[in-house]
């Protein structure tokens, strides 16, 4: 068994295992703030046609080289990409492009 590693070492493609050691998917994305050393969680892909599932950090039991173990598989939420916080409108856009963006709410 490999030694434990820090969450910042997790890479896409690592195996995700349940409490029994059975592989339930692969790491797709890791979320957190490396500068503040805050691990938020990760998304896992369980198959080609399946939607990504989100595993919050509090459900991660162990992180070892090449694999992540979690406590429970049941109740994992489907991952939804957060909305962008802001959109930058290019300076060279025309007034009607800006008006269209404003009317459709894309200026936020």
């Amino acid at each position: 068994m490999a030694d434990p590693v820090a969450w910042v070492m997790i890479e896409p493609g690592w195996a995700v295992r349940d409490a029994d050691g059975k592989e339930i998917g692969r790491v797709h994305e890791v979320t957190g703030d490396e500068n503040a050393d805050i691990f938020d969680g990760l998304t896992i892909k369980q198959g080609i046609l399946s939607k990504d599932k989100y595993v919050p950090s509090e459900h991660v039991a162990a992180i070892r080289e090449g694999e992540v173990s979690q406590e429970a598989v049941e109740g994992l939420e489907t991952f939804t990409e957060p909305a962008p916080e802001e959109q930058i409108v290019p300076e060279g856009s025309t007034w009607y492009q800006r008006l269209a963006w404003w009317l459709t709410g894309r200026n936020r």
Side-chain angles (χ1 to χ4, degrees), residues 11 40 64 68 105:
E11 296 181 10
D40 188 49
R64 300 188 188 286
V68 178

Side-chain angles (χ1 to χ4, degrees), residues 26-88:
R26 295 275 174 175
V27 174
H28 185 246
E29 186 176 12
V30 180
T31 57
D33 184 350
E34 289 185 20
N35 295 329
D37 195 24
I38 298 172
F39 175 44
D40 188 49
L42 48 94
T43 59
I44 61 171
K45 185 154 299 275
Q46 294 180 303
I48 295 172
L49 300 176
S50 68
K51 295 187 180 216
D52 289 355
K53 300 288 185 180
Y54 180 71
V55 179
S57 61
E58 53 270 5
H59 290 277
V60 174
I63 303 169
R64 300 188 188 286
E65 185 72 39
E67 70 179 32
V68 178
S69 300
Q70 69 169 38
E71 296 171 352
V73 180
E74 304 82 31
L76 289 180
E77 296 180 17
T78 301
F79 178 72
T80 53
E81 188 74 33
E85 293 182 14
E86 70 178 78
Q87 179 179 0
I88 299 172

